[in-house]
Short mmCIF file of all heavy atoms in Angstrom, two decimals:
data_model
loop_
_atom_site.label_atom_id
_atom_site.label_comp_id
_atom_site.label_asym_id
_atom_site.label_seq_id
_atom_site.Cartn_x
_atom_site.Cartn_y
_atom_site.Cartn_z
N THR A 1 -57.85 48.45 -11.19
CA THR A 1 -57.79 49.33 -10.00
C THR A 1 -56.55 50.25 -10.15
O THR A 1 -55.54 49.78 -10.60
CB THR A 1 -57.46 48.50 -8.75
OG1 THR A 1 -56.42 47.65 -8.92
CG2 THR A 1 -58.78 47.72 -8.38
N PRO A 2 -56.67 51.54 -9.87
CA PRO A 2 -55.58 52.43 -9.91
C PRO A 2 -54.52 52.11 -8.91
O PRO A 2 -54.71 51.61 -7.84
CB PRO A 2 -56.19 53.74 -9.63
CG PRO A 2 -57.50 53.54 -8.87
CD PRO A 2 -57.93 52.19 -9.28
N THR A 3 -53.30 52.36 -9.26
CA THR A 3 -52.12 52.17 -8.37
C THR A 3 -52.21 53.15 -7.20
O THR A 3 -52.56 54.32 -7.44
CB THR A 3 -50.81 52.56 -9.08
OG1 THR A 3 -51.00 52.30 -10.49
CG2 THR A 3 -49.72 51.64 -8.54
N ALA A 4 -51.95 52.73 -6.04
CA ALA A 4 -51.99 53.57 -4.85
C ALA A 4 -50.84 54.56 -4.96
O ALA A 4 -49.73 54.13 -5.26
CB ALA A 4 -51.87 52.80 -3.59
N VAL A 5 -51.16 55.81 -4.83
CA VAL A 5 -50.11 56.82 -4.90
C VAL A 5 -49.71 57.11 -3.49
O VAL A 5 -50.48 57.54 -2.66
CB VAL A 5 -50.67 58.15 -5.54
CG1 VAL A 5 -49.66 59.21 -5.47
CG2 VAL A 5 -51.10 57.85 -7.02
N PRO A 6 -48.36 56.92 -3.18
CA PRO A 6 -47.89 57.33 -1.90
C PRO A 6 -47.98 58.76 -1.64
O PRO A 6 -47.78 59.56 -2.47
CB PRO A 6 -46.44 56.81 -1.85
CG PRO A 6 -46.07 56.58 -3.26
CD PRO A 6 -47.28 56.55 -4.09
N PRO A 7 -48.36 59.16 -0.37
CA PRO A 7 -48.42 60.57 -0.06
C PRO A 7 -47.01 61.24 -0.09
O PRO A 7 -46.03 60.55 -0.05
CB PRO A 7 -49.04 60.62 1.35
CG PRO A 7 -48.70 59.33 1.90
CD PRO A 7 -48.69 58.34 0.78
N ALA A 8 -47.03 62.55 -0.15
CA ALA A 8 -45.75 63.24 -0.26
C ALA A 8 -44.90 63.06 0.98
O ALA A 8 -43.66 63.31 0.93
CB ALA A 8 -46.05 64.82 -0.41
N ASN A 9 -45.51 62.63 2.10
CA ASN A 9 -44.72 62.43 3.33
C ASN A 9 -44.15 60.94 3.38
O ASN A 9 -43.68 60.52 4.38
CB ASN A 9 -45.53 62.77 4.54
CG ASN A 9 -46.61 61.85 4.69
OD1 ASN A 9 -46.90 60.93 3.91
ND2 ASN A 9 -47.45 62.07 5.83
N ASP A 10 -44.31 60.24 2.18
CA ASP A 10 -43.80 58.88 2.13
C ASP A 10 -42.20 58.97 2.16
O ASP A 10 -41.62 59.36 1.09
CB ASP A 10 -44.36 58.23 0.88
CG ASP A 10 -43.79 56.85 0.73
OD1 ASP A 10 -42.59 56.53 0.95
OD2 ASP A 10 -44.58 55.90 0.32
N ALA A 11 -41.57 58.62 3.28
CA ALA A 11 -40.13 58.80 3.37
C ALA A 11 -39.32 58.04 2.36
O ALA A 11 -38.28 58.59 1.83
CB ALA A 11 -39.70 58.49 4.76
N ALA A 12 -39.86 56.85 2.02
CA ALA A 12 -39.14 56.05 0.98
C ALA A 12 -39.06 56.80 -0.44
O ALA A 12 -38.03 56.88 -1.07
CB ALA A 12 -39.63 54.70 0.81
N LEU A 13 -40.23 57.31 -0.78
CA LEU A 13 -40.37 58.06 -2.03
C LEU A 13 -39.49 59.35 -2.02
O LEU A 13 -38.78 59.58 -2.91
CB LEU A 13 -41.79 58.39 -2.24
CG LEU A 13 -42.03 59.23 -3.50
CD1 LEU A 13 -41.73 58.43 -4.80
CD2 LEU A 13 -43.51 59.72 -3.57
N VAL A 14 -39.55 60.04 -0.88
CA VAL A 14 -38.80 61.32 -0.84
C VAL A 14 -37.29 60.97 -0.88
O VAL A 14 -36.49 61.64 -1.63
CB VAL A 14 -39.08 62.01 0.56
CG1 VAL A 14 -38.19 63.20 0.64
CG2 VAL A 14 -40.56 62.49 0.53
N ALA A 15 -36.86 59.89 -0.20
CA ALA A 15 -35.41 59.48 -0.22
C ALA A 15 -34.94 59.13 -1.61
O ALA A 15 -33.92 59.51 -2.08
CB ALA A 15 -35.17 58.34 0.76
N GLN A 16 -35.86 58.43 -2.34
CA GLN A 16 -35.56 58.06 -3.82
C GLN A 16 -35.36 59.29 -4.59
O GLN A 16 -34.38 59.33 -5.38
CB GLN A 16 -36.65 57.25 -4.36
CG GLN A 16 -36.74 55.78 -3.93
CD GLN A 16 -37.79 55.07 -4.74
OE1 GLN A 16 -38.87 55.53 -4.99
NE2 GLN A 16 -37.52 53.78 -5.15
N ILE A 17 -36.23 60.25 -4.48
CA ILE A 17 -36.14 61.47 -5.20
C ILE A 17 -34.92 62.21 -4.88
O ILE A 17 -34.18 62.74 -5.67
CB ILE A 17 -37.49 62.28 -5.07
CG1 ILE A 17 -38.59 61.55 -5.81
CG2 ILE A 17 -37.28 63.74 -5.56
CD1 ILE A 17 -39.98 62.06 -5.52
N GLN A 18 -34.70 62.36 -3.53
CA GLN A 18 -33.44 63.10 -3.08
C GLN A 18 -32.20 62.40 -3.62
O GLN A 18 -31.31 63.16 -4.11
CB GLN A 18 -33.36 63.14 -1.57
CG GLN A 18 -34.38 63.93 -0.93
CD GLN A 18 -34.46 63.79 0.60
OE1 GLN A 18 -34.22 62.78 1.09
NE2 GLN A 18 -34.84 64.91 1.30
N SER A 19 -32.19 61.16 -3.60
CA SER A 19 -31.06 60.35 -4.06
C SER A 19 -30.76 60.59 -5.54
O SER A 19 -29.71 60.83 -6.02
CB SER A 19 -31.30 58.89 -3.77
OG SER A 19 -30.28 58.05 -4.31
N GLY A 20 -31.85 60.57 -6.31
CA GLY A 20 -31.85 60.80 -7.72
C GLY A 20 -31.47 62.22 -8.13
O GLY A 20 -30.56 62.41 -8.91
N LEU A 21 -31.92 63.18 -7.37
CA LEU A 21 -31.48 64.59 -7.59
C LEU A 21 -30.14 64.79 -7.19
O LEU A 21 -29.35 65.52 -7.90
CB LEU A 21 -32.49 65.50 -6.76
CG LEU A 21 -33.89 65.62 -7.23
CD1 LEU A 21 -34.73 66.31 -6.16
CD2 LEU A 21 -33.99 66.42 -8.49
N ALA A 22 -29.69 64.11 -6.15
CA ALA A 22 -28.26 64.26 -5.75
C ALA A 22 -27.27 63.63 -6.79
O ALA A 22 -26.23 64.25 -7.07
CB ALA A 22 -28.06 63.60 -4.39
N SER A 23 -27.71 62.50 -7.35
CA SER A 23 -26.84 61.81 -8.36
C SER A 23 -26.69 62.71 -9.61
O SER A 23 -25.67 62.62 -10.33
CB SER A 23 -27.42 60.52 -8.68
OG SER A 23 -28.52 60.54 -9.57
N LEU A 24 -27.65 63.61 -9.81
CA LEU A 24 -27.57 64.48 -10.96
C LEU A 24 -27.00 65.89 -10.61
O LEU A 24 -26.95 66.76 -11.49
CB LEU A 24 -29.02 64.61 -11.66
CG LEU A 24 -29.67 63.43 -12.22
CD1 LEU A 24 -31.08 63.69 -12.63
CD2 LEU A 24 -28.80 62.93 -13.38
N GLY A 25 -26.72 66.09 -9.31
CA GLY A 25 -26.13 67.31 -8.98
C GLY A 25 -27.11 68.43 -8.56
O GLY A 25 -26.67 69.64 -8.43
N PHE A 26 -28.31 68.07 -8.42
CA PHE A 26 -29.34 69.09 -8.11
C PHE A 26 -29.51 69.28 -6.62
O PHE A 26 -29.84 70.41 -6.08
CB PHE A 26 -30.62 68.86 -8.72
CG PHE A 26 -30.65 69.07 -10.25
CD1 PHE A 26 -30.62 67.93 -11.04
CD2 PHE A 26 -30.75 70.29 -10.83
CE1 PHE A 26 -30.69 68.03 -12.44
CE2 PHE A 26 -30.74 70.45 -12.19
CZ PHE A 26 -30.70 69.29 -12.98
N PHE A 27 -29.33 68.14 -5.85
CA PHE A 27 -29.66 68.18 -4.50
C PHE A 27 -28.38 68.05 -3.66
O PHE A 27 -27.52 67.21 -3.93
CB PHE A 27 -30.65 67.04 -4.11
CG PHE A 27 -31.00 66.95 -2.64
CD1 PHE A 27 -31.80 67.94 -2.06
CD2 PHE A 27 -30.61 65.88 -1.87
CE1 PHE A 27 -32.19 67.84 -0.77
CE2 PHE A 27 -31.05 65.75 -0.57
CZ PHE A 27 -31.84 66.75 -0.01
N HIS A 28 -28.16 68.88 -2.67
CA HIS A 28 -26.93 68.92 -1.93
C HIS A 28 -27.16 68.65 -0.35
O HIS A 28 -26.24 68.69 0.37
CB HIS A 28 -26.20 70.20 -2.10
CG HIS A 28 -26.02 70.51 -3.63
ND1 HIS A 28 -25.15 69.81 -4.36
CD2 HIS A 28 -26.71 71.39 -4.38
CE1 HIS A 28 -25.22 70.37 -5.65
NE2 HIS A 28 -26.14 71.35 -5.64
N GLY A 29 -28.37 68.28 -0.02
CA GLY A 29 -28.60 68.04 1.43
C GLY A 29 -28.47 66.58 1.75
O GLY A 29 -28.14 65.77 0.91
N PRO A 30 -28.82 66.22 3.04
CA PRO A 30 -28.72 64.80 3.32
C PRO A 30 -29.88 64.08 2.78
O PRO A 30 -30.98 64.61 2.65
CB PRO A 30 -28.87 64.83 4.82
CG PRO A 30 -29.57 66.08 5.21
CD PRO A 30 -29.16 67.06 4.09
N VAL A 31 -29.77 62.84 2.29
CA VAL A 31 -30.84 62.02 1.83
C VAL A 31 -31.42 61.36 2.96
O VAL A 31 -31.00 60.36 3.55
CB VAL A 31 -30.29 60.99 0.76
CG1 VAL A 31 -31.38 60.01 0.36
CG2 VAL A 31 -29.67 61.61 -0.43
N ASP A 32 -32.48 62.04 3.54
CA ASP A 32 -33.04 61.68 4.85
C ASP A 32 -34.53 61.36 4.66
O ASP A 32 -35.23 60.95 5.71
CB ASP A 32 -32.89 62.74 5.87
CG ASP A 32 -33.35 64.11 5.43
OD1 ASP A 32 -34.13 64.22 4.37
OD2 ASP A 32 -33.14 65.15 6.06
N GLY A 33 -35.13 61.42 3.47
CA GLY A 33 -36.52 61.10 3.33
C GLY A 33 -37.55 62.16 3.81
O GLY A 33 -38.66 61.92 3.91
N LYS A 34 -36.87 63.31 4.33
CA LYS A 34 -37.72 64.43 4.76
C LYS A 34 -37.86 65.50 3.71
O LYS A 34 -36.82 66.07 3.39
CB LYS A 34 -37.19 64.95 6.01
CG LYS A 34 -37.10 63.96 7.19
CD LYS A 34 -36.61 64.56 8.49
CE LYS A 34 -36.50 63.50 9.54
NZ LYS A 34 -35.11 63.49 10.14
N PRO A 35 -39.06 65.67 3.19
CA PRO A 35 -39.11 66.76 2.24
C PRO A 35 -38.98 68.15 2.84
O PRO A 35 -39.72 68.40 3.86
CB PRO A 35 -40.58 66.57 1.62
CG PRO A 35 -41.29 65.91 2.65
CD PRO A 35 -40.37 65.08 3.50
N GLY A 36 -38.06 68.95 2.42
CA GLY A 36 -37.95 70.31 3.02
C GLY A 36 -37.67 71.28 1.93
O GLY A 36 -37.75 70.93 0.69
N PRO A 37 -37.28 72.57 2.28
CA PRO A 37 -37.14 73.58 1.32
C PRO A 37 -35.97 73.19 0.23
O PRO A 37 -36.06 73.51 -0.91
CB PRO A 37 -36.77 74.79 2.06
CG PRO A 37 -36.57 74.37 3.43
CD PRO A 37 -37.13 72.99 3.66
N GLU A 38 -34.92 72.59 0.73
CA GLU A 38 -33.81 72.13 -0.22
C GLU A 38 -34.28 71.11 -1.21
O GLU A 38 -33.92 71.15 -2.44
CB GLU A 38 -32.63 71.55 0.65
CG GLU A 38 -31.50 71.05 -0.17
CD GLU A 38 -30.77 72.06 -1.06
OE1 GLU A 38 -30.97 73.26 -0.91
OE2 GLU A 38 -30.03 71.61 -1.94
N THR A 39 -35.16 70.20 -0.74
CA THR A 39 -35.70 69.14 -1.68
C THR A 39 -36.59 69.88 -2.71
O THR A 39 -36.42 69.61 -3.95
CB THR A 39 -36.50 68.20 -0.84
OG1 THR A 39 -35.63 67.53 0.13
CG2 THR A 39 -37.05 67.02 -1.73
N ALA A 40 -37.43 70.74 -2.20
CA ALA A 40 -38.36 71.50 -3.14
C ALA A 40 -37.58 72.26 -4.21
O ALA A 40 -37.89 72.30 -5.29
CB ALA A 40 -39.33 72.36 -2.34
N ARG A 41 -36.46 72.95 -3.72
CA ARG A 41 -35.68 73.74 -4.62
C ARG A 41 -34.99 72.93 -5.64
O ARG A 41 -35.04 73.26 -6.81
CB ARG A 41 -34.56 74.54 -3.79
CG ARG A 41 -33.74 75.43 -4.57
CD ARG A 41 -32.39 75.73 -3.97
NE ARG A 41 -31.61 74.50 -3.75
CZ ARG A 41 -31.06 73.83 -4.68
NH1 ARG A 41 -31.13 74.10 -5.97
NH2 ARG A 41 -30.31 72.74 -4.36
N ALA A 42 -34.54 71.75 -5.18
CA ALA A 42 -33.85 70.80 -6.14
C ALA A 42 -34.80 70.29 -7.18
O ALA A 42 -34.51 70.14 -8.39
CB ALA A 42 -33.13 69.67 -5.39
N ILE A 43 -36.04 69.97 -6.76
CA ILE A 43 -37.04 69.46 -7.66
C ILE A 43 -37.34 70.51 -8.75
O ILE A 43 -37.42 70.30 -9.87
CB ILE A 43 -38.30 69.08 -6.88
CG1 ILE A 43 -38.10 67.78 -6.04
CG2 ILE A 43 -39.50 68.76 -7.93
CD1 ILE A 43 -39.22 67.36 -5.16
N ARG A 44 -37.50 71.76 -8.27
CA ARG A 44 -37.86 72.82 -9.15
C ARG A 44 -36.68 73.12 -10.23
O ARG A 44 -36.96 73.26 -11.40
CB ARG A 44 -38.10 74.21 -8.44
CG ARG A 44 -39.51 74.29 -7.85
CD ARG A 44 -39.87 75.71 -7.36
NE ARG A 44 -38.88 76.24 -6.49
CZ ARG A 44 -38.89 76.09 -5.11
NH1 ARG A 44 -39.86 75.37 -4.61
NH2 ARG A 44 -38.01 76.55 -4.35
N GLU A 45 -35.45 73.01 -9.73
CA GLU A 45 -34.30 73.17 -10.51
C GLU A 45 -34.24 72.05 -11.63
O GLU A 45 -33.93 72.28 -12.78
CB GLU A 45 -33.03 73.06 -9.67
CG GLU A 45 -32.02 74.17 -9.98
CD GLU A 45 -30.88 74.12 -9.08
OE1 GLU A 45 -29.93 73.29 -9.24
OE2 GLU A 45 -30.84 74.89 -8.16
N PHE A 46 -34.54 70.83 -11.13
CA PHE A 46 -34.54 69.67 -12.06
C PHE A 46 -35.66 69.88 -13.12
O PHE A 46 -35.42 69.70 -14.32
CB PHE A 46 -34.79 68.42 -11.29
CG PHE A 46 -35.01 67.15 -12.18
CD1 PHE A 46 -33.99 66.53 -12.87
CD2 PHE A 46 -36.32 66.73 -12.28
CE1 PHE A 46 -34.23 65.43 -13.69
CE2 PHE A 46 -36.57 65.58 -13.10
CZ PHE A 46 -35.52 64.93 -13.83
N GLU A 47 -36.87 70.26 -12.65
CA GLU A 47 -37.93 70.50 -13.58
C GLU A 47 -37.69 71.54 -14.55
O GLU A 47 -38.01 71.39 -15.73
CB GLU A 47 -39.26 70.76 -12.73
CG GLU A 47 -39.75 69.55 -11.89
CD GLU A 47 -40.84 69.95 -10.92
OE1 GLU A 47 -40.88 71.10 -10.40
OE2 GLU A 47 -41.65 69.05 -10.57
N ASN A 48 -37.06 72.58 -14.08
CA ASN A 48 -36.84 73.72 -15.00
C ASN A 48 -35.73 73.33 -15.96
O ASN A 48 -35.83 73.64 -17.17
CB ASN A 48 -36.28 74.89 -14.10
CG ASN A 48 -36.05 76.22 -14.85
OD1 ASN A 48 -36.84 76.46 -15.76
ND2 ASN A 48 -35.02 76.85 -14.64
N PHE A 49 -34.72 72.64 -15.54
CA PHE A 49 -33.61 72.20 -16.45
C PHE A 49 -34.16 71.40 -17.57
O PHE A 49 -33.71 71.50 -18.72
CB PHE A 49 -32.60 71.39 -15.62
CG PHE A 49 -31.37 70.99 -16.38
CD1 PHE A 49 -30.36 71.92 -16.59
CD2 PHE A 49 -31.33 69.73 -16.89
CE1 PHE A 49 -29.25 71.57 -17.24
CE2 PHE A 49 -30.26 69.34 -17.60
CZ PHE A 49 -29.10 70.30 -17.80
N HIS A 50 -35.12 70.50 -17.25
CA HIS A 50 -35.65 69.62 -18.27
C HIS A 50 -36.94 70.14 -18.87
O HIS A 50 -37.63 69.40 -19.62
CB HIS A 50 -35.87 68.19 -17.68
CG HIS A 50 -34.61 67.48 -17.39
ND1 HIS A 50 -33.87 66.92 -18.43
CD2 HIS A 50 -33.91 67.32 -16.30
CE1 HIS A 50 -32.79 66.33 -17.85
NE2 HIS A 50 -32.74 66.60 -16.49
N ARG A 51 -37.23 71.40 -18.67
CA ARG A 51 -38.40 72.06 -19.17
C ARG A 51 -39.75 71.32 -18.84
O ARG A 51 -40.65 71.25 -19.66
CB ARG A 51 -38.27 72.24 -20.67
CG ARG A 51 -37.13 73.15 -21.01
CD ARG A 51 -37.14 73.56 -22.48
NE ARG A 51 -36.14 74.62 -22.84
CZ ARG A 51 -34.97 74.89 -22.36
NH1 ARG A 51 -34.56 74.30 -21.24
NH2 ARG A 51 -34.23 75.78 -22.88
N TYR A 52 -39.77 70.83 -17.63
CA TYR A 52 -41.05 70.17 -17.14
C TYR A 52 -41.80 71.30 -16.44
O TYR A 52 -41.21 72.33 -16.16
CB TYR A 52 -40.78 69.02 -16.21
CG TYR A 52 -40.13 67.85 -16.79
CD1 TYR A 52 -38.96 67.31 -16.06
CD2 TYR A 52 -40.53 67.19 -17.92
CE1 TYR A 52 -38.25 66.23 -16.62
CE2 TYR A 52 -39.85 66.12 -18.40
CZ TYR A 52 -38.76 65.67 -17.78
OH TYR A 52 -38.06 64.58 -18.26
N LYS A 53 -43.02 71.07 -16.18
CA LYS A 53 -43.89 71.97 -15.41
C LYS A 53 -43.23 72.04 -13.99
O LYS A 53 -42.99 71.08 -13.39
CB LYS A 53 -45.35 71.42 -15.32
CG LYS A 53 -46.24 72.44 -14.71
CD LYS A 53 -47.74 71.96 -15.02
CE LYS A 53 -48.55 72.42 -13.83
NZ LYS A 53 -48.85 71.48 -12.78
N MET A 54 -42.94 73.32 -13.56
CA MET A 54 -42.32 73.46 -12.32
C MET A 54 -43.31 73.32 -11.20
O MET A 54 -44.24 74.18 -11.09
CB MET A 54 -41.60 74.79 -12.28
CG MET A 54 -40.13 74.65 -12.77
SD MET A 54 -39.31 76.25 -12.88
CE MET A 54 -39.11 76.68 -11.17
N THR A 55 -43.15 72.34 -10.37
CA THR A 55 -44.02 72.21 -9.21
C THR A 55 -43.34 72.27 -7.83
O THR A 55 -43.71 72.71 -6.91
CB THR A 55 -44.74 70.87 -9.24
OG1 THR A 55 -43.76 69.83 -9.11
CG2 THR A 55 -45.57 70.72 -10.61
N GLY A 56 -42.10 71.71 -7.90
CA GLY A 56 -41.32 71.60 -6.59
C GLY A 56 -41.97 70.59 -5.74
O GLY A 56 -41.59 70.40 -4.55
N GLN A 57 -42.87 69.76 -6.24
CA GLN A 57 -43.69 68.82 -5.42
C GLN A 57 -43.01 67.37 -5.52
O GLN A 57 -42.61 66.96 -6.59
CB GLN A 57 -45.08 68.67 -5.91
CG GLN A 57 -45.83 69.98 -5.84
CD GLN A 57 -46.13 70.41 -4.45
OE1 GLN A 57 -46.69 69.64 -3.67
NE2 GLN A 57 -45.82 71.58 -4.11
N VAL A 58 -43.12 66.65 -4.38
CA VAL A 58 -42.73 65.26 -4.42
C VAL A 58 -43.82 64.44 -5.02
O VAL A 58 -44.92 64.54 -4.49
CB VAL A 58 -42.44 64.73 -2.99
CG1 VAL A 58 -42.43 63.26 -2.85
CG2 VAL A 58 -41.15 65.42 -2.39
N GLN A 59 -43.59 63.75 -6.16
CA GLN A 59 -44.64 62.98 -6.90
C GLN A 59 -43.96 61.78 -7.34
O GLN A 59 -42.79 61.70 -7.77
CB GLN A 59 -45.18 63.77 -8.03
CG GLN A 59 -46.03 64.94 -7.60
CD GLN A 59 -46.23 66.00 -8.78
OE1 GLN A 59 -45.80 65.65 -9.88
NE2 GLN A 59 -46.89 67.15 -8.46
N PRO A 60 -44.78 60.69 -7.29
CA PRO A 60 -44.23 59.38 -7.67
C PRO A 60 -43.64 59.38 -9.19
O PRO A 60 -42.66 58.72 -9.45
CB PRO A 60 -45.44 58.40 -7.61
CG PRO A 60 -46.30 59.03 -6.64
CD PRO A 60 -46.10 60.47 -6.77
N ASP A 61 -44.25 60.11 -10.08
CA ASP A 61 -43.80 60.12 -11.43
C ASP A 61 -42.43 60.83 -11.62
O ASP A 61 -41.74 60.66 -12.61
CB ASP A 61 -44.79 60.72 -12.39
CG ASP A 61 -45.18 62.22 -12.13
OD1 ASP A 61 -44.79 62.67 -11.04
OD2 ASP A 61 -45.78 62.83 -12.95
N LEU A 62 -42.00 61.54 -10.59
CA LEU A 62 -40.72 62.22 -10.59
C LEU A 62 -39.62 61.14 -10.59
O LEU A 62 -38.61 61.36 -11.24
CB LEU A 62 -40.54 63.04 -9.29
CG LEU A 62 -40.47 64.58 -9.42
CD1 LEU A 62 -40.31 65.18 -8.06
CD2 LEU A 62 -39.45 65.03 -10.33
N VAL A 63 -39.78 59.99 -9.97
CA VAL A 63 -38.75 58.98 -9.92
C VAL A 63 -38.53 58.53 -11.36
O VAL A 63 -37.41 58.40 -11.71
CB VAL A 63 -39.25 57.74 -9.07
CG1 VAL A 63 -38.32 56.64 -9.10
CG2 VAL A 63 -39.37 58.27 -7.61
N GLU A 64 -39.57 58.32 -12.11
CA GLU A 64 -39.49 57.88 -13.49
C GLU A 64 -38.69 58.99 -14.32
O GLU A 64 -37.88 58.63 -15.20
CB GLU A 64 -40.86 57.71 -14.08
CG GLU A 64 -40.93 56.74 -15.32
CD GLU A 64 -42.35 56.52 -15.65
OE1 GLU A 64 -43.20 56.08 -14.82
OE2 GLU A 64 -42.64 56.68 -16.85
N LEU A 65 -38.99 60.25 -14.12
CA LEU A 65 -38.39 61.33 -14.84
C LEU A 65 -36.92 61.40 -14.54
O LEU A 65 -36.02 61.63 -15.34
CB LEU A 65 -39.06 62.69 -14.55
CG LEU A 65 -40.53 62.90 -14.99
CD1 LEU A 65 -41.05 64.15 -14.52
CD2 LEU A 65 -40.65 62.73 -16.49
N LEU A 66 -36.62 61.15 -13.21
CA LEU A 66 -35.19 61.28 -12.83
C LEU A 66 -34.38 59.99 -13.48
O LEU A 66 -33.30 60.22 -13.93
CB LEU A 66 -35.12 61.10 -11.29
CG LEU A 66 -35.49 62.36 -10.50
CD1 LEU A 66 -35.75 62.04 -9.09
CD2 LEU A 66 -34.35 63.38 -10.64
N LEU A 67 -35.06 58.83 -13.45
CA LEU A 67 -34.38 57.67 -14.07
C LEU A 67 -34.14 57.94 -15.63
O LEU A 67 -33.10 57.64 -16.09
CB LEU A 67 -35.20 56.46 -13.87
CG LEU A 67 -35.23 55.93 -12.44
CD1 LEU A 67 -36.21 54.77 -12.24
CD2 LEU A 67 -33.88 55.48 -12.02
N LYS A 68 -35.15 58.56 -16.24
CA LYS A 68 -35.03 58.91 -17.62
C LYS A 68 -33.92 59.77 -17.93
O LYS A 68 -33.21 59.78 -18.91
CB LYS A 68 -36.28 59.50 -18.18
CG LYS A 68 -37.24 58.56 -18.83
CD LYS A 68 -38.37 59.27 -19.60
CE LYS A 68 -39.68 58.60 -19.44
NZ LYS A 68 -40.81 59.38 -19.68
N ALA A 69 -33.62 60.70 -16.93
CA ALA A 69 -32.58 61.78 -17.06
C ALA A 69 -31.22 61.19 -16.68
O ALA A 69 -30.20 61.84 -16.76
CB ALA A 69 -32.90 62.95 -16.12
N GLY A 70 -31.19 59.79 -16.28
CA GLY A 70 -29.91 59.19 -16.00
C GLY A 70 -29.58 59.21 -14.57
O GLY A 70 -28.40 58.90 -14.18
N ALA A 71 -30.50 59.46 -13.67
CA ALA A 71 -30.16 59.46 -12.27
C ALA A 71 -29.93 58.09 -11.72
O ALA A 71 -30.52 57.08 -12.30
CB ALA A 71 -31.34 60.06 -11.44
N THR A 72 -29.15 57.97 -10.68
CA THR A 72 -29.05 56.61 -9.97
C THR A 72 -29.81 56.80 -8.75
O THR A 72 -29.62 57.81 -7.95
CB THR A 72 -27.62 56.26 -9.75
OG1 THR A 72 -26.87 57.47 -9.14
CG2 THR A 72 -26.81 55.86 -10.91
N ILE A 73 -30.76 55.86 -8.40
CA ILE A 73 -31.58 55.92 -7.25
C ILE A 73 -31.35 54.63 -6.43
O ILE A 73 -31.20 53.57 -6.89
CB ILE A 73 -33.08 56.03 -7.67
CG1 ILE A 73 -33.23 57.34 -8.38
CG2 ILE A 73 -34.00 55.86 -6.49
CD1 ILE A 73 -34.61 57.63 -8.81
#
């Protein structure tokens, strides 16, 4: 069975991503679990920096990419 993918409005997932982006210096807003323009901008910046496909989207695999990049979550 495939793993259930949490939706983009999953606050825990968003908070993990915000926290990871903040630890790497990409995200400067509050880690509040709410995806907003600052979160999307930080995701795009992170993706661009690591030459990933730029989406700006909250996705579960982002957590893995952040951890690989040395983020603390």
